Amino acid sequence: MPGNNERTPGEWTPELSRRWDQGIVRYPDVAVEVVDSRFNAYRNGNAAVECLYTGTRWAEGPVWFGDFGSLVFSDIPNNRMLRYCEITNSVSVFRQPSNYGNGNTRDLQGRLITCEHLPRRVTRTEYDGSLTVLLDSFEGKRLNAPNDVVVKSDGSVWFTDPGYGIIVGYEGQRAEAELPTQVYRLDPGTGGVAVVADDLVKPNGLCFSPDEKRLYISDSGISHDPHALGHIRAFDVEDGGKLRGGKVFADLSPGFADGMRTDRDGNLWSSVGWAGAGRDGVHCFTPEGELIGRIHLPEPCSNLCFGGVKKNRLFMTCSQSLYSLYVEAVGNQWP
């Protein structure tokens, strides 16, 4: 592939950044930065970052539906969910109102699982379009405002509950929190619910490693620990449903991580937001936590997922837009 865009961390400057209004992009796209030569295995030098849609107020929760060649994603403040069709390269309304839906995923049967801010619940969309409430309370108290969600291969639903949907009315409805900010595991078969992590300030995005022996959780909150803002923690998964450890895997301050996904090689692709121009976008880490690549975007990035026919197209939701980039990595998420 022509060129390598390889430079040491910290060398990125405004002069090297891409002009997003220029139309045609010369390959290799300078928005794709190789921090470590290992990232060359995942970068396609003949692919550029594409802006697929602009018009959201805060885009979130991208989830790929290969069975109808589309990506579904949330536009939280506009109280709607949108659908990007890969075949027609067009965006249409998927659901409105969406109850200020945020994070989305699919279960093992291909059904849509959504975190809804307004009613403070996690729902499942059935094949006929009806909604089933999976959980809206714990130990007699209302959830705060579920944020992001993943499904494990045993069918269990894992989600974060930082409460952003009740802090301000822009993404839900102001209300008092009834529960601590926690991460939950739900068994839809038995209805059993358990708190799996309770020591994060604002647990946000989460995803499993390919072997499901590790769960990554981003913390986008501020605590007395000056390093709490911006870090991703890695927990060991034991006995199928318990977490241990929780060491800091990566620190993304002055910004912070939101949504994340792993590829089949175990690399972690994390969104980065509020870090500032030249820093916002996506960072790619090895399973050991080493930064090997960056995708620079002109907006704070909220979340991402792999999709497309070969699961090698990285879709990235940002504040007002949806972007994509073809990579040489293959996504690991279900189904």
Side-chain angles (χ1 to χ4, degrees):
M1 295 181 183
N4 61 16
N5 277 8
E6 194 169 333
R7 46 184 76 88
T8 58
E11 277 193 72
W12 192 267
T13 66
E15 291 74 22
L16 292 172
S17 63
R18 169 175 155 184
R19 285 194 54 199
W20 292 92
D21 59 350
Q22 66 185 355
I24 300 298
V25 179
R26 179 180 293 277
Y27 293 152
D29 189 345
V30 295
V32 184
E33 178 189 3
V34 177
V35 176
D36 183 285
S37 60
R38 286 172 290 180
F39 191 61
N40 282 316
Y42 304 104
R43 183 187 64 112
N44 188 326
N46 294 329
V49 178
E50 304 171 65
C51 182
L52 304 177
Y53 176 78
T54 295
T56 58
R57 287 200 168 98
W58 184 254
E60 251 283 9
V63 57
W64 177 251
F65 281 80
D67 29 6
F68 63 107
S70 297
L71 181 88
V72 171
F73 61 105
S74 299
D75 181 5
I76 306 174
N78 281 322
N79 195 18
R80 64 180 181 173
M81 294 168 68
L82 301 174
R83 172 193 173 192
Y84 167 74
C85 177
E86 190 173 51
I87 299 172
T88 62
N89 195 37
S90 62
V91 172
S92 59
V93 174
F94 175 80
R95 176 181 293 164
Q96 191 171 24
S98 65
N99 290 321
Y100 292 86
N102 187 344
N104 300 285
T105 192
R106 299 179 75 184
D107 67 10
L108 305 188
Q109 290 73 43
R111 295 169 296 188
L112 177 67
I113 307 293
T114 301
C115 294
E116 298 181 358
H117 278 182
L118 189 61
R120 299 159 69 168
R121 66 188 188 182
V122 179
T123 63
R124 181 178 67 215
T125 301
E126 307 297 347
Y127 298 130
D128 62 2
S130 62
L131 294 181
T132 296
V133 178
L134 297 182
L135 193 70
D136 59 7
S137 63
F138 179 70
E139 295 183 342
K141 298 178 181 179
R142 296 186 68 188
L143 298 176
N144 298 320
N147 187 279
D148 205 357
V149 59
V150 292
V151 172
K152 197 169 178 284
S153 61
D154 62 1
S156 57
V157 178
W158 301 57
F159 68 94
T160 58
D161 190 25
Y164 286 118
I166 60 174
I167 295 175
V168 296
Y170 189 57
E171 294 189 3
Q173 181 66 46
R174 284 180 179 268
E176 293 296 322
E178 299 179 23
L179 290 164
T181 55
Q182 301 177 138
V183 182
Y184 297 87
R185 177 188 183 274
L186 166 67
D187 186 330
T190 66
V193 185
V195 173
V196 292
D198 60 4
D199 62 340
L200 295 99
V201 181
K202 290 291 182 185
N204 203 319
L206 73 172
C207 71
F208 285 102
S209 60
D211 60 9
E212 297 185 333
K213 293 182 179 179
R214 179 183 289 181
L215 179 69
Y216 298 100
I217 308 175
S218 64
D219 193 340
S220 55
I222 300 175
S223 73
H224 297 296
D225 179 356
H227 299 293
L229 176 63
H231 67 210
I232 299 169
R233 292 175 60 185
F235 293 83
D236 296 323
V237 182
E238 297 183 339
D239 301 325
K242 297 179 181 178
L243 299 184
R244 182 179 61 83
K247 65 179 181 180
V248 174
F249 174 80
D251 188 344
L252 294 167
S253 57
F256 60 81
D258 198 332
M260 304 171 289
R261 293 292 188 275
T262 53
D263 62 31
R264 290 182 182 174
D265 289 341
N267 300 303
L268 180 73
W269 301 69
S270 172
S271 65
V272 182
W274 309 112
R279 293 177 177 266
D280 288 336
V282 173
H283 288 191
C284 180
F285 298 93
T286 67
E288 293 72 39
E290 301 164 300
L291 176 67
I292 59 173
R294 296 187 183 101
I295 301 168
H296 295 266
L297 297 172
E299 309 174 55
C301 185
S302 63
N303 213 328
L304 53 92
C305 77
F306 289 91
V309 176
K310 300 177 182 178
K311 283 192 177 180
N312 65 340
R313 191 176 190 183
L314 187 65
F315 290 96
M316 300 160 282
T317 52
C318 292
S319 53
Q320 300 171 62
S321 308
L322 172 69
Y323 297 87
S324 77
L325 173 69
Y326 282 97
V327 294
E328 291 303 306
V330 178
N332 179 57
Q333 74 268 14
W334 291 93

